[in-house]
Amino acid sequence: MKRLMPDNPIHAICLKLGALGVGMFVFAIWVMPPMYDVFCEITGLNGKTGGPYQAVSAEVDTSRTITVQFVATNNEGMPWQFAPEVRTVKVHPGEQKRINYHAVNPTDRDMIGQAIPSLVPFKAANYFHKTECFCFEQQPLKAGESAELPMYFIIDQDIPENIHTITLSYALFDVTERYADNKVTKVTQ
Amino acid sequence: MAHGPAKGIARWLYTTNHKDIGSMYLWFSFAMFLLGGVFALVIRAELFQPGLQIVDPNFFNQMTTMHGLVMVFGAVMPAFVGLANWMVPMMIGAPDMALPRMNNWSFWILPFAFAMLTSTLFMEGGAPNFGWTFYAPLSTTYAPPSVTFFIFAIHIMGASSIMGAINIIATILNMRAPGMTLMKMPLFVWTWLITAYLLIAVMPVLAGVVTMMLMDIHFGTSFFNAAGGGDPVLFQHIFWFFGHPEVYIMILPAFGIVSAIIPTFSRKPLFGYASMVYATASIAFLSFIVWAHHMFTVGMPLAGELFFMYATMLIAVPTGVKVFNWTATMFKGSLTFETPMLFSIAFVILFTIGGFSGLMLAIAPADFQYHDTYFVVAHFHYVLVPGAIFSITAAVYYWLPKWSGRMYSEVMGKTHFWLAFIGLNVTFFPMHFSGLAGMPRRIPDYHMMFADWNMISSIGAFLFGGAQVLFLYIVISTIVSGRKATDKVWENPEGLEWTVPSPAPYHTFSTPPEVK
């Protein structure tokens, strides 16, 4: 029977230590990023708000009112005009609400934008559900074109008592070059 | 009988001798130390007065980046590997390193890595300018084109470190003389054994993080790009998962050096040998669970802030054990103050000061004020300059007579010490004050209110730089014309390296020594 490890103890330890090194490299690239994503999803860290939500019929809790503020920013170099139609809405937990963002591409070239949400307080991130959102996919706008970008959301009835205000921020990125071949893919936000 | 070294340049290119390779590592790191020092002096010259005088802000940023990279990866780490090459086989009674050919290779790829890194200074768009911590997206989306060369240079340095570490572990675990049990090994060997494990564990993570940068820049992935669903904060987590063990990689061998020198000049055995070993191992373990204290301000949950705060403070316990052990070794000893001892005592005192400012920074709520100020700069220079640099200097003075067979001039050595000691404190102590007053790091210009502290710091920096030129002169003049050293060199020093003649013959311990 052939033994797994070489007879020379120096060669054996080199193999083990080399394997440890390769293992740590694999850990850094293929384990740490997914682990971080899972960790953020569980804790709501960074205000990542999760993907499309299947609405479940539930009681609207009219005893509570939560103020939702909308913020829109352009990432550096993004020339679009991008803003929510209303800055603030008041909603009851369990109630579905639609709000529109307005985007204009004032340039003379066709562009693609991608909005990335972030929500504070982080604790609320897991209780803020979006049933439909423009941020789930890229937004192509031709030169000079404008668009209404809808977003439907429901705030969970189980949202902690001490949360009265939620701020949802969208940062708009220019991803024209990244998706230049018209291959529009879904990103989970 | 064993043959001597080959003649000419081939000796150095093809050598597999641990002493030759150790010397090359040490000379290389000295060259990088002076280069990184020149970068530091450009920074201090610009900061001598408020306003922009000497360099433009982009070049200033390149200087801070290159200073950090060259000092960490070019000066401190290769110097410790060089010392390990020279001393580990001699301390454990081995004829050479376990893997001599790999040893040659792990040294010779280093000059290429640093030639590549330094060449970026002359490239269009300039050298990396995003700080030695190269946070994304500064180092990806907004990086100069030379970032790719930086990434490959890091890959090569990482490969060199990993090979060096494997070599050291293989040597220590397999090639000890009969009777040299693990708990009889000198502490320098112990600390290097633990450091080598740290290197193998985290250098691949560094290689991984720069590889992810490379893919983000050139291959359209989005590890750190929010537009594609990635996250720049992920970069900081991975970087500091490497970065915190890395700071212990730069200090644990220093603990070993000081633990060798202080007993010699106190004429007492080291106090608490076993507790030193366990303290080193505890520090190494803790270094893996404290990384986020570098990023308290990114927006962590309260539980995270508390965990990383308490875990960080826990490191003070094993470190305190070490400091008390060194103090207890000196207590009631017959102390003499030769140059290596002066550097070692300065190490204990100044490293402790750096440790205390580290404890201040570990307090999460207070860190929000200190974060990214000169207080942080003062802190890590107080642990790295008297920690790593002073211990390496002490090691050179302590073992140079054994390496070269010639004694350095004590007057010159002490002059070097006092110039360096005063220069260091004049440079870095005022940074505590400018930092607490709110001066941000990595900026070429500053408010008038910081002018006095900065001028003092700059004067100290040039004094410290001058002291290192004197050091170079002392080393060369010792090797060329120092008086002959005895085999023992010091009065009754401990360790196998003092049982061989001075200078140490090209081949030592071809037959293993007896260890009782």
Side-chain angles (χ1 to χ4, degrees):
Chain A
M1 198 186 91
K2 205 169 168 358
R3 267 188 299 166
L4 202 61
M5 277 290 161
D7 288 329
N8 186 332
I10 292 178
H11 297 174
I13 197 156
C14 286
L15 274 182
K16 287 180 204 160
L17 295 173
L20 174 66
V22 173
M24 287 308 288
F25 184 77
V26 170
F27 176 71
I29 296 193
W30 282 279
V31 180
M32 281 172 114
M35 240 170 60
Y36 178 75
D37 286 343
V38 171
F39 187 77
C40 288
E41 210 170 288
I42 294 169
T43 57
L45 206 62
N46 285 330
K48 294 193 172 183
T49 45
Y53 177 73
Q54 288 300 329
V56 288
S57 60
E59 292 278 306
V60 174
D61 181 0
T62 48
S63 65
R64 293 182 63 196
T65 306
I66 292 178
T67 309
V68 185
Q69 303 171 325
F70 300 99
V71 178
T73 43
N74 284 4
N75 196 50
E76 196 187 321
M78 182 57 165
W80 291 12
Q81 290 153 19
F82 176 59
E85 282 183 345
V86 284
R87 293 280 165 192
T88 318
V89 292
K90 289 189 187 298
V91 291
H92 302 300
E95 171 191 6
Q96 173 156 304
K97 198 91 180 176
R98 169 186 174 146
I99 84 130
N100 285 334
Y101 274 69
H102 188 69
V104 183
N105 176 4
T107 62
D108 53 4
R109 60 199 171 94
D110 300 350
M111 291 179 70
I112 305 172
Q114 165 76 56
I116 302 289
S118 175
L119 179 146
V120 281
F122 293 160
K123 270 188 191 144
N126 288 340
Y127 302 96
F128 190 93
H129 306 304
K130 285 176 283 193
T131 48
E132 240 180 79
C133 179
F134 58 92
C135 62
F136 294 145
E137 51 202 38
Q138 287 81 38
Q139 302 299 322
L141 279 187
K142 294 201 160 51
E145 200 181 25
S146 67
E148 296 299 323
L149 306 173
M151 192 260 288
Y152 294 84
F153 68 93
I154 304 172
I155 293 175
D156 206 295
Q157 293 96 324
D158 298 331
I159 191 160
E161 287 292 326
N162 59 347
I163 297 177
H164 303 290
T165 307
I166 292 173
T167 307
L168 178 64
S169 142
Y170 279 105
L172 189 67
F173 289 78
D174 175 5
V175 290
T176 310
E177 277 175 36
R178 181 178 290 259
Y179 297 104
D181 46 357
N182 290 327
K183 171 194 70 183
V184 174
T185 43
K186 294 234 171 201
V187 214
T188 305
Q189 297 306 338
Chain B
M1 196 45 215
H3 58 83
K7 292 273 176 283
I9 188 79
R11 166 180 176 181
W12 303 104
L13 285 178
Y14 303 141
T15 183
T16 53
N17 180 287
H18 73 102
K19 300 185 181 77
D20 281 354
I21 294 172
S23 301
M24 289 196 295
Y25 262 113
L26 287 167
W27 278 114
F28 175 76
S29 81
F30 206 153
M32 287 297 116
F33 179 52
L34 295 178
L35 178 68
V38 170
F39 295 157
L41 291 182
V42 173
I43 296 170
R44 281 321 321 172
E46 175 56 48
L47 293 176
F48 187 70
Q49 284 182 326
L52 296 173
Q53 285 93 15
I54 300 171
V55 294
D56 66 88
N58 186 39
F59 189 72
F60 183 90
N61 289 343
Q62 295 173 30
M63 287 293 103
T64 54
T65 307
M66 296 293 275
H67 166 70
L69 290 170
V70 167
M71 285 301 194
V72 168
F73 296 106
V76 173
M77 290 171 68
F80 281 134
V81 180
L83 289 170
N85 258 296
W86 252 103
M87 301 317 300
V88 166
M90 276 164 66
M91 284 175 158
I92 61 173
D96 205 310
M97 298 293 279
L99 304 143
R101 281 175 206 277
M102 191 165 88
N103 205 9
N104 172 294
W105 199 40
S106 59
F107 170 75
W108 273 113
I109 59 177
L110 268 188
F112 293 94
F114 281 90
M116 182 147 51
L117 183 65
T118 313
S119 70
T120 58
L121 277 169
F122 307 101
M123 288 179 189
E124 206 171 327
N129 56 2
F130 31 68
W132 88 274
T133 52
F134 51 99
Y135 280 9
L138 275 181
S139 59
T140 52
T141 315
Y142 304 105
S146 64
V147 66
T148 308
F149 290 88
F150 154 82
I151 289 171
F152 284 128
I154 293 281
H155 276 140
I156 299 174
M157 289 168 211
S160 162
S161 293
I162 293 168
M163 286 191 289
I166 290 178
N167 208 343
I168 286 166
I169 295 177
T171 308
I172 296 173
L173 294 187
N174 291 297
M175 301 190 47
R176 298 191 308 278
M180 175 67 82
T181 58
L182 283 176
M183 288 309 273
K184 276 187 192 165
M185 293 194 311
L187 261 176
F188 180 71
V189 181
W190 253 116
T191 54
W192 241 116
L193 179 65
I194 292 167
T195 304
Y197 274 106
L198 287 183
L199 276 168
I200 295 173
V202 300
M203 289 312 282
V205 175
L206 177 70
V209 79
V210 292
T211 306
M212 285 185 258
M213 279 169 54
L214 186 76
M215 296 203 283
D216 271 11
I217 295 169
H218 295 293
F219 304 117
T221 59
S222 298
F223 285 104
F224 310 128
N225 186 349
D231 190 339
V233 177
L234 172 65
F235 175 90
Q236 298 185 26
H237 281 289
I238 302 178
F239 178 81
W240 285 114
F241 185 82
F242 145 79
H244 202 77
E246 167 70 14
V247 304
Y248 292 106
I249 287 165
M250 291 190 284
I251 203 64
L252 294 184
F255 291 165
I257 292 166
V258 170
S259 303
I261 294 175
I262 288 182
T264 299
F265 299 101
S266 305
R267 289 161 186 79
K268 275 174 67 188
L270 183 70
F271 185 90
Y273 170 87
S275 68
M276 286 293 213
V277 173
Y278 297 129
T280 311
S282 323
I283 293 173
F285 169 74
L286 287 173
S287 73
F288 283 101
I289 56 164
V290 297
W291 75 89
H293 67 209
H294 295 270
M295 34 194 296
F296 277 141
T297 56
V298 294
M300 259 188 282
L302 183 63
E305 305 255 334
L306 287 174
F307 171 77
F308 287 110
M309 173 168 109
Y310 288 128
T312 305
M313 291 187 165
L314 205 55
I315 297 180
V317 177
T319 315
V321 167
K322 288 181 161 292
V323 171
F324 283 117
N325 279 344
W326 292 318
T327 315
T329 306
M330 286 187 271
F331 182 66
K332 290 194 173 174
S334 311
L335 294 170
T336 50
F337 299 95
E338 285 87 345
T339 310
M341 183 62 163
L342 287 176
F343 275 104
S344 298
I345 295 174
F347 166 93
V348 175
I349 297 168
L350 299 180
F351 180 76
T352 306
I353 293 178
F356 279 137
S357 57
L359 274 176
M360 290 172 70
L361 287 161
I363 303 168
D367 180 73
F368 279 69
Q369 183 197 343
Y370 309 146
H371 191 87
D372 259 344
T373 68
Y374 259 79
F375 191 80
V376 177
V377 179
H379 158 68
F380 68 74
H381 281 93
Y382 256 88
V383 282
L384 280 176
V385 182
I389 303 295
F390 269 24
S391 72
I392 293 164
T393 313
V396 169
Y397 280 113
Y398 187 57
W399 284 306
L400 184 61
K402 179 54 65 188
W403 301 336
S404 67
R406 292 174 184 277
M407 196 65 187
Y408 64 89
S409 151
E410 201 63 70
V411 175
M412 296 283 266
K414 283 181 178 165
T415 311
H416 170 214
F417 169 75
W418 286 110
L419 288 177
F421 181 81
I422 294 168
L424 174 143
N425 285 293
V426 171
T427 310
F428 298 113
F429 213 82
M431 290 183 185
H432 290 110
F433 305 130
S434 51
L436 285 179
M439 177 164 162
R441 59 190 284 214
R442 293 173 172 162
I443 44 130
D445 188 9
Y446 49 84
H447 192 275
M448 283 293 286
M449 66 188 277
F450 307 121
D452 291 349
W453 293 129
N454 274 287
M455 191 175 280
I456 296 170
S457 282
S458 291
I459 293 168
F462 280 90
L463 181 62
F464 188 81
Q468 304 317 318
V469 179
L470 178 65
F471 184 35
L472 178 64
Y473 171 78
I474 295 172
V475 171
I476 292 173
S477 68
T478 303
I479 294 171
V480 173
S481 62
R483 69 187 158 79
K484 290 273 174 221
T486 59
D487 288 355
K488 266 191 136 45
V489 184
W490 313 106
E491 190 187 343
N492 212 17
E494 210 184 321
L496 287 176
E497 72 266 34
W498 309 107
T499 62
V500 302
S502 297
Y506 200 58
H507 296 283
T508 43
F509 298 127
S510 300
T511 45
E514 281 281 315
V515 180
K516 284 185 281 294

